[in-house]
């Protein structure tokens, strides 16, 4: 006889893998299954995913996690609700009648759209943006108007630019648009569309934290901005915590889906940074630092993004955040492993780097697809400088860890200037944080205290908390942070700087010189 419990499931679809994790009310992991899925790099700067592979890997992870749950003596009926958290900005286009993808998804860190960005930069400069009937803003006023509406700059990073490229370069997408058969969405839109029944049900929604990364949503109204829309079939925007539908088949048939959230906002929630002034940084494929600003939109003047953190329900006010994004964090370690052959497993980077006490003068700007915050330079290129005959793989491995720390410091300095308060403590999670040396380097070069929780599945936990709150499971309530007091109290490890201040500042100045040398290398052109 299988035991009955009360658990929450979380489907966590990241950039390189999918996992399904089942939590209890204290954030103990009861069951989980993870699968990596293929990455496609067809041309320099391109990064694709196959939406069908994401869908199938998600299905398998759910099924295998439920199998393990039952093998451990628990009934599958113990899972009362699931949430979904996903890689943001990655763009999917599919036919609304057949439910089939029209092309591969364009991943968030893809930089093929440099020329598309250049076209829209020129359009903002010469024609401008019509902010209301008959009123146009162009040049710097146009750039400012776009940021005022969306919180975002023009960049290869965001979904609207990727969709525009699809419409311009993939005939199947253009034809579907002309025939009114095009559905566009981010990854959570695609996953929930399929989980609840595909074209038969036709649920086409986009959760608000993901919608805020498209370059199309008004940050204040939480609606698609009319002046930015002239070619899209857009999903309905929904809150972060509500019941959207029920799983249509498989081991969890009939279970409600009650939480959708972009992965970095999910990690903010999973770290319980729900109140103004709290911050976290997740180091996965990239690095993403979010600083909760409460119900106030804080306009950055130092290169950060204003974004939605979450909306606790359909009738709840939004909670906002400032964000700084690093495009290459853990993926630089993957490059050392797969392209350079320095290590066999990602975790070995810490062992390799520890063989040398310094980088031997090497600085590595990991701008493989340009630089994001606070630089916003798609023309920047990867640069390794300071090489000599003395340089060995251990120096390069340590320089890779230092690159992550320097880019984090650049974001935190901007965040301090925007918020008017210095951030002395940073909560961290993500695969890269498993290495003690990586975290020690971060504390040394950043000059702040780093706190790493023992249970670091913060992204998945965030969507689980949202899903549980949607059905009032365990009394969880997103508007009352105290209801999560018993969640994830397993402890944490702190890393404190041991580097002298003068050495830290000397290295910081040299890093900034390296950044300047990598910029302006591959400039996009308006080829229309």
């Amino acid at each position: 006889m299988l035991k009955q419990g009360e658990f929450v499931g979380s489907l966590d679809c990241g950039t390189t893998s999918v996992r399904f994790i089942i939590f209890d009310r204290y954030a103990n992991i009861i069951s989980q299954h993870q699968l990596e899925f293929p990455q496609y790099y067809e041309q320099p700067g391109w990064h694709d995913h196959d939406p069908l592979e994401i869908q199938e890997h998600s299905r398998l992870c759910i099924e295998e996690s439920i199998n393990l749950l039952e093998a451990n003596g628990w009934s599958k009926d113990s899972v009362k609700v699931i949430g979904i958290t996903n890689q943001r900005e990655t763009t999917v286009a599919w036919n609304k009648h057949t439910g089939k993808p029209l092309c591969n998804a364009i991943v968030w860190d893809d930089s093929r759209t440099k020329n598309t960005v250049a076209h829209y930069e020129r359009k903002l400069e010469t024609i401008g943006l019509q902010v209301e009937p008959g009123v146009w803003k162009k040049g710097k006023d146009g750039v400012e108007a776009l940021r005022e509406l969306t919180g975002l700059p023009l960049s290869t990073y965001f979904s609207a630019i990727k969709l525009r490229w699809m419409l311009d370069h993939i005939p199947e997408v253009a034809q579907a648009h002309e025939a009114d058969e095009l559905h566009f969405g981010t990854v959570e839109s695609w996953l929930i569309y399929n989980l609840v029944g595909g074209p038969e049900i036709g649920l086409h929604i986009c959760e608000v934290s993901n919608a805020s990364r498209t370059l199309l949503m008004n940050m204040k109204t939480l609606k698609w901005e009319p002046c930015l829309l002239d070619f899209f079939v857009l999903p309905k925007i929904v809150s972060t915590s509500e019941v959207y539908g029920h799983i249509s088949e498989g081991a969890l048939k009939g279970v409600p889906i009650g939480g959708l959230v972009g992965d970095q906002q999910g990690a903010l929630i999973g770290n319980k940074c729900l109140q103004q002034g709290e911050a976290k940084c997740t180091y996965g494929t990239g690095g993403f630092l979010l600083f909760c600003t409460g119900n106030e939109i804080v306009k950055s003047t130092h290169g950060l993004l204003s974004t939605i953190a979450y909306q606790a329900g359909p009738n709840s006010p939004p909670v906002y955040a400032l964000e700084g994004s690093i495009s290459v964090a853990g993926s630089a370690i993957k490059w050392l492993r797969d392209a350079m052959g320095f290590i066999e497993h990602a975790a070995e980077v810490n062992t390799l780097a520890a063989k040398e006490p310094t980088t031997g003068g090497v600085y590595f700007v990991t701008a493989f697809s340009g630089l994001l915050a606070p630089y916003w330079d798609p023309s920047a290129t990867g640069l390794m400088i300071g090489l000599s005959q003395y340089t060995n793989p251990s120096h390069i491995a340590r320089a890779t860890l230092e690159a992550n720390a320097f880019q984090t410091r650049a974001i935190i300095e901007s965040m301090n200037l925007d918020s008017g308060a210095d951030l002395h403590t940073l909560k961290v999670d993500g695969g890269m944080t498993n290495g003690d040396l990586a975290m020690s380097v971060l504390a040394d070069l950043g000059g702040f205290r780093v706190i790493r929780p023992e249970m670091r599945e913060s992204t998945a936990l965030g969507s689980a908390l949202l899903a549980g709150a949607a059905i009032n499971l365990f009394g969880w309530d997103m508007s009352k942070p105290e209801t999560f007091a018993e969640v994830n109290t397993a402890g944490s490890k702190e890393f404190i700087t041991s580097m002298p201040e003068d050495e830290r500042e000397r290295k910081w100045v040299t890093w900034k010189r390296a950044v300047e040398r990598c910029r302006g290398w591959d400039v996009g052109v308006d080829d229309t």
Side-chain angles (χ1 to χ4, degrees):
M1 185 73 176
L2 295 176
K3 297 177 289 185
Q4 285 289 337
E6 287 188 313
F7 304 138
V8 184
S10 174
L11 180 62
D12 179 358
C13 181
T15 307
T16 60
S17 69
V18 178
R19 72 190 78 187
F20 187 71
I21 302 177
I22 298 174
F23 295 98
D24 69 8
R25 68 182 301 163
Y26 306 108
N28 296 312
I29 295 175
I30 306 302
S31 177
Q32 64 176 318
H33 192 75
Q34 180 173 355
L35 292 170
E36 290 192 359
F37 55 85
Q39 311 292 309
Y40 300 100
Y41 305 97
E42 296 179 3
Q43 296 186 39
W46 290 34
H47 188 184
D48 285 6
H49 288 159
D50 182 338
L52 292 176
E53 290 176 343
I54 292 175
Q55 177 188 345
E56 177 62 10
H57 282 65
S58 298
R59 184 190 69 79
L60 288 171
C61 284
I62 291 173
E63 296 294 322
E64 290 302 317
S65 187
I66 293 298
N67 288 341
L68 180 59
L69 180 74
E70 293 185 327
N72 290 335
W74 294 101
S75 168
K76 65 182 182 182
D77 295 335
S78 300
V79 179
K80 303 302 182 184
V81 66
I82 77 162
I84 300 172
T85 182
N86 59 285
Q87 49 168 315
R88 304 169 305 166
E89 297 95 17
T90 295
T91 303
V92 187
W94 68 96
N95 185 293
K96 70 179 182 181
H97 296 310
T98 67
K100 301 299 183 184
L102 296 163
C103 58
N104 275 351
I106 299 180
V107 182
W108 61 269
D109 61 354
D110 182 286
S111 60
R112 78 186 70 178
T113 56
K114 288 177 183 176
N115 293 351
T116 307
V117 170
H119 166 73
Y120 280 104
E121 286 175 338
R122 183 171 177 271
K123 186 174 181 180
L124 267 184
E125 181 67 31
T126 58
I127 300 175
L129 181 68
Q130 186 174 212
V131 294
E132 56 185 83
V135 179
W136 294 78
K137 292 191 176 182
K138 62 183 181 178
K140 290 183 178 179
D141 289 341
V143 172
E144 188 59 32
L146 184 63
R147 272 191 176 270
E148 185 71 24
L149 289 169
T150 68
L152 310 175
L154 280 172
S155 169
T156 60
Y157 190 19
F158 305 114
S159 306
I161 298 295
K162 300 178 193 300
L163 180 56
R164 181 71 262 176
W165 189 94
M166 288 178 175
L167 287 161
D168 291 340
H169 294 87
I170 301 175
E172 294 83 355
V173 177
Q175 291 162 10
H177 174 243
E178 289 299 320
D180 193 25
E181 296 177 346
L182 174 63
H183 270 183
F184 146 77
T186 41
V187 170
E188 93 292 354
S189 302
W190 169 249
L191 288 173
I192 196 168
Y193 173 84
N194 286 287
L195 281 169
V196 303
E200 183 178 341
I201 302 299
L203 182 65
H204 188 210
I205 60 176
C206 182
E207 179 273 328
V208 66
S209 72
N210 282 286
S212 74
R213 315 295 295 186
T214 61
L215 203 62
L216 295 170
M217 192 190 80
N218 185 305
M219 287 275 288
K220 295 177 181 176
T221 66
L222 308 189
K223 298 182 184 299
W224 302 121
E225 177 54 43
C227 75
L228 298 174
L229 305 178
D230 57 5
F231 46 71
F232 297 114
V233 179
L234 295 171
K236 175 187 176 183
I237 297 175
V238 295
S239 78
T240 317
S241 181
E242 60 179 280
V243 174
Y244 316 99
H246 296 75
I247 297 175
S248 63
E249 60 184 10
L252 294 181
K253 183 177 180 179
V255 172
I257 302 172
L260 298 174
V261 68
D263 53 4
Q264 302 313 318
Q265 285 90 339
L268 187 76
I269 294 163
N271 276 295
K272 299 190 286 188
C273 297
L274 304 178
Q275 301 185 79
Q276 185 174 356
E278 296 178 321
K280 70 87 202 177
C281 194
T282 299
Y283 297 102
T285 302
F288 304 90
L289 201 158
L290 270 72
F291 179 94
C292 184
T293 61
N295 297 122
E296 176 187 3
I297 300 175
V298 174
K299 179 180 170 184
S300 175
T301 56
H302 298 90
L304 303 181
L305 306 177
S306 302
T307 194
I308 301 286
Y310 62 91
Q311 184 187 14
N315 301 313
S316 299
V319 174
Y320 297 96
L322 280 173
E323 177 173 339
S325 305
I326 302 167
S327 61
V328 176
S331 57
I333 296 172
K334 186 178 180 182
W335 179 78
L336 293 180
R337 182 192 69 187
D338 297 343
M340 304 305 292
F342 286 178
I343 51 178
E344 290 188 7
H345 304 285
E348 294 171 2
V349 70
N350 291 275
T351 305
L352 180 60
K355 292 180 179 179
E356 293 288 352
T358 72
T359 66
V362 174
Y363 287 79
F364 184 13
V365 185
T366 54
F368 293 165
S369 53
L371 288 170
L372 297 182
Y375 312 101
W376 296 107
D377 186 356
S379 70
T381 189
L383 174 71
M384 199 175 293
I385 196 167
L387 296 171
S388 68
Q389 290 179 316
Y390 174 70
T391 304
N392 64 44
S394 294
H395 292 128
I396 294 172
R398 184 174 278 270
T400 304
L401 300 183
E402 288 197 355
N404 184 67
F406 284 130
Q407 291 180 87
T408 302
R409 172 170 174 172
I411 290 170
I412 287 180
E413 290 204 348
S414 294
M415 207 160 274
N416 289 342
L417 291 169
D418 281 331
S419 67
D422 289 346
L423 184 70
H424 299 292
T425 299
L426 183 65
K427 296 179 181 179
V428 298
D429 63 90
M432 195 174 178
T433 66
N434 292 332
D436 284 1
L437 179 60
M439 295 299 95
S440 295
V441 168
L442 177 61
D444 277 343
L445 296 179
F448 43 75
R449 184 174 58 147
V450 175
I451 299 179
R452 182 184 68 189
E454 292 298 320
M455 202 294 289
R456 294 189 282 282
E457 298 291 356
S458 303
T459 300
L461 177 59
S463 76
L465 295 178
L466 292 163
I471 64 169
N472 198 34
L473 191 65
F474 310 133
W476 290 346
D477 186 336
M478 289 299 299
S479 65
K480 298 177 180 178
E482 64 272 14
T483 62
F484 302 116
E486 296 180 326
V487 174
N488 200 14
T489 57
S492 60
K493 183 172 182 178
E494 294 188 5
F495 299 85
I496 301 172
T497 182
S498 59
M499 181 177 286
E501 179 69 18
D502 58 344
E503 181 181 356
R504 177 164 49 250
E505 292 309 304
R506 176 181 58 78
K507 290 176 72 68
W508 174 239
V509 169
T510 309
W511 164 261
K512 290 192 287 186
R513 290 172 57 208
V515 169
E516 287 306 309
R517 281 162 171 74
C518 88
R519 301 185 70 173
W521 181 260
D522 184 14
V523 179
V525 294
D526 180 3
D527 57 4
T528 58

